[in-house]
Every structure is written in C-alpha cells, then in structure tokens.
Amino acid sequence: MKKFTNVADIGDLNAAVAEALEIKKNRFAYTELGRNKTLLMIFFNSSLRTRLSTQKAAMNLGMNVMVLDVNQGAWKLETERGVVMDGDKAEHLLEAIPVMGSYCDIIGVRSFAGLKNKEEDYQERVVEQFIKYSGRPVFSMEAATGHPLQSFADLITIEEYKTTARPKVVLTWAPHPKALPQAVPNSFAEWMNAADYELVVTHPVGYELDPRFVRSEQIEYDQRKAFEGADFIYAKNWSAFADENYGQVLSVDRDWTVDSQKMALTNNAYFMHCLPVRRNMIVTDEVIESERSLVIPEAANREISAQVVIKRLLESLETVSCND
Ligand code: AN0
Ligand code: CP
C-alpha cells in the first residue's frame, strides 16, 4: 500500500479487520519494522484523537514521530499556484512539501474542507499535492472529503460488537451550530457499503450527500422510521453538499438530536460517534453515557486502524531509506 485516502486503498476488508484484531492482541509484534523510520504528521486543523492515536500507533511500530502544526509556528503556506505572494503567506506548499518529505519516510496529513469552493474541496487538492510532490507514502488523517482512519476504526468496532452477520447500520444527521465537512459521513457510508452492511442514511431534506457515497434509495427522511430495527446508530453532523448551498448550515433542529425515546425504537442499538461531540445537540447525556454507547472503545480503535495503515505503508517502503 503506497497511500491511504479511501477504502479501495486497504483492499480486502475481511483481511484488514483480521489484521487489526491480530494487532490489537499484540501491539508490539512489529517494533522492528519501524526502527529508524520517521513518521511526519502534518496538521492544518485541530485534533485530539487523530494526533494521539496515530502517534501511539507509530510508536508501537518502533517509529520516530514528528508533528507539525502548520498554523502554530510554521510559515503560513500558500496553496494556489500562480499567485503573486505579496500577502501574509511566506512559503508555498510546492516547496514545503518536498522539504518535509526529505526529513521523513511516511507522511500523515490532516487538511479539512474549506467549505467555500466545492470543486476545490472535492478535488482533494492538498492531499493530492502531498502524494504527488513529497516522494513518500501519504495517508489521510481527515482530508476534505474523507476520514478513512475513522471509518476503519468504526468498521473494527462494529465487527467486534455485532451479533448478526449483516447488521442494520443507521447514519443519522444531528444538529450542530457550526458548518462541518462531509468527510466523516462520506467515508462512513463508503466503508459500510464496502462491508456490505445494511446501511440507512437519515437526514433533513437538503442534506443529501454525494451520490458517489450514498445512493438515493439508502436515504430515509423520517428519522424515527430509519431507527426501527437498527443495530447501530452512528450520529454525525454535516453541512450541505448541494451546489446551491454547499457548506451551509440549513437546520439546527433539535428534534434530530439522538435521545432515549428514539433509541427505544431500535433493536437495542449501540450508539456511535467519531467525537468530538456536542452533548445535547448531537446526542443527549443519557444516550452517550448509556451502556450501549461505544464512543470510547470506538476512539480506542483509532490506534488500531492507524497501526494497520502505517504498518502496511512501512512494508511498502523500499529497503533504501531517505538518508541513503
Ligand atoms: C470535524 C468534522 O466534522 O469533520 C472532525 C471530526 C473528526 N469535527 C469538528 O470540527 C467538530
Ligand atoms: N475523531 C477524530 O478524528 O477526532 P480528532 O478530530 O480529535 O482527531
């Protein structure tokens, strides 16, 4: 595996989950694989879980880890080619990327959607430039349109807790005061479809996701109806995807908040959310604190999904290191 930005990169999902569960039992089986290898993690946006779990995963593999917060202490980076750089941006991404690549063996990038220009976001400009110009294997730590490390952890979690071969998994939109990207729901749908679970997506009219991720027949606009018989409820907010209101908040209707009354309609479903979560907007205290809430084991599995991904990228490296 030379890059990791979507579900196709990981190949066979059964094999990936089996590898994850094996690693979970013995996290330190591959400490030699990463010896004298360096991971550079680059953050254009905030993070708690991704930063810590990915660093831990790399340390489990014996790697050295460097973290760069682009917005704290680095030069402000220009990303557009052809601009006259007479503003506040002191360095261009086109120099910064190969320079960063020269100091490491593998690169992880977090770069959220700007939510201003749909075409730009859906072209995944930043991550694609890292892939093209760094000369290193690159993995997404949440890019503009996807968050595959999260979805892989979600898949591992569902595999651990499911009691039927093909569970009913419901992705529900829930209210949030600020505009959020579609990356998490896009990837979640992509991975759940690839796993061939029964996926139902519920959201208010206007919140339809990219049809490349969610087919129209998978949408149920009535949230309560969608919850009926569900084995897993996966809550997430996202902003509008449609051209006419891309990146906008169309509703903050708290009738969409996940509460105990709605959970009672399900097949005693587990509750999931990628975190960070706003309590009593997305989900009530009662539901997130209930014994059916998986948010903590789900977050813990981020270490495991990251470790499988970094292990596979390490295995793809040629024997010559960047210092040779
Ligand atoms: C981000 C998002 O919705 O994409 C990160 C989630 C992992 N969430 C927020 O910015 C609150
Ligand atoms: N779920 C997730 O990616 O969390 P962070 O934004 O804290 O990394």
Side-chain angles (χ1 to χ4, degrees):
M1 193 167 80
K2 278 283 178 201
K3 64 137 184 131
F4 178 73
T5 59
N6 59 48
V7 73
D9 295 325
I10 200 94
D12 181 72
L13 283 187
N14 288 327
V17 170
E19 192 173 336
L21 297 177
E22 206 50 51
I23 279 176
K24 193 164 178 172
K25 275 190 264 165
N26 187 359
R27 291 162 211 235
F28 304 108
Y30 299 95
T31 46
E32 277 305 302
L33 189 62
R35 201 155 78 92
N36 293 335
K37 295 280 189 283
T38 299
L39 169 66
L40 173 58
M41 295 161 62
I42 300 160
F43 288 92
F44 288 85
N45 312 92
S46 306
S47 168
L48 186 155
R49 278 142 293 274
T50 304
R51 173 183 300 249
L52 297 177
S53 62
T54 310
Q55 180 159 2
K56 176 65 162 64
M59 294 191 305
N60 293 349
L61 291 161
M63 296 185 84
N64 301 311
V65 183
M66 301 191 297
V67 183
L68 181 69
D69 284 300
V70 171
N71 299 319
Q72 277 167 21
W75 303 108
K76 266 197 195 326
L77 293 176
E78 177 59 64
T79 55
E80 289 292 314
R81 197 171 168 280
V83 291
V84 177
M85 289 174 58
D86 60 356
D88 61 342
K89 293 175 178 164
E91 177 153 27
H92 204 286
L93 203 57
L94 290 172
E95 281 76 54
I97 290 174
V99 168
M100 293 189 277
S102 73
Y103 305 139
C104 64
D105 301 279
I106 294 177
I107 300 181
V109 183
R110 166 163 284 202
S111 175
F112 288 178
L115 296 177
K116 290 190 178 73
N117 182 330
K118 178 170 171 176
E119 203 186 320
E120 218 169 85
D121 287 344
Y122 274 72
Q123 283 172 352
E124 286 290 6
R125 282 236 193 118
V126 174
V127 169
E128 287 304 321
Q129 291 194 84
F130 272 94
I131 292 170
K132 199 165 167 192
Y133 299 116
S134 71
R136 303 290 169 216
V138 170
F139 64 95
S140 163
M141 300 195 299
E142 187 173 340
T145 65
H147 193 1
L149 281 178
Q150 180 64 49
S151 307
F152 187 13
D154 298 334
L155 175 67
I156 296 164
T157 310
I158 293 173
E159 283 296 304
E160 287 178 316
Y161 285 87
K162 74 177 191 183
T163 53
T164 51
R166 194 166 179 267
K168 177 176 175 182
V169 177
V170 176
L171 166 61
T172 181
W173 181 94
H176 188 280
K178 292 188 176 158
L180 295 183
Q182 297 105 32
V184 171
N186 284 347
S187 278
F188 185 73
E190 181 183 55
W191 285 67
M192 295 302 107
N193 283 329
D196 196 32
Y197 295 150
E198 184 190 345
L199 175 68
V200 174
V201 183
T202 184
H203 54 70
V205 172
Y207 277 102
E208 292 76 13
L209 290 160
D210 186 336
R212 285 178 303 163
F213 299 110
V214 177
R215 299 186 302 275
S216 57
E217 67 270 20
Q218 296 183 298
I219 302 171
E220 168 54 66
Y221 292 101
D222 182 338
Q223 190 190 34
R224 288 172 176 80
K225 204 164 156 204
F227 273 42
E228 283 170 15
D231 298 301
F232 293 87
I233 297 295
Y234 192 96
K236 183 72 185 88
N237 173 268
W238 63 88
S239 60
F241 168 74
D243 288 346
E244 59 274 20
N245 45 29
Y246 178 69
Q248 289 177 23
V249 175
L250 307 179
S251 163
V252 283
D253 183 358
R254 284 174 53 214
D255 189 41
W256 280 81
T257 302
V258 178
D259 62 17
S260 298
Q261 285 72 37
K262 286 178 207 163
M263 290 302 286
L265 301 169
T266 69
N267 180 28
N268 196 21
Y270 287 108
F271 174 80
M272 298 178 72
H273 188 280
C274 65
L275 306 182
V277 73
R278 289 187 185 235
R279 282 177 174 224
N280 304 311
M281 286 294 295
I282 303 279
V283 58
T284 60
D285 292 320
E286 200 179 16
V287 170
I288 199 167
E289 290 170 3
S290 78
E291 57 171 23
R292 303 303 279 179
S293 171
L294 294 181
V295 295
I296 307 304
E298 179 185 358
N301 276 335
R302 291 292 308 276
E303 176 183 342
I304 308 304
S305 64
Q307 197 169 331
V308 173
V309 167
I310 297 168
K311 174 176 171 280
R312 290 187 178 195
L313 295 175
L314 281 170
E315 286 164 348
S316 80
L317 291 176
E318 290 157 9
T319 41
V320 275
S321 86
C322 63
N323 296 322
D324 293 336

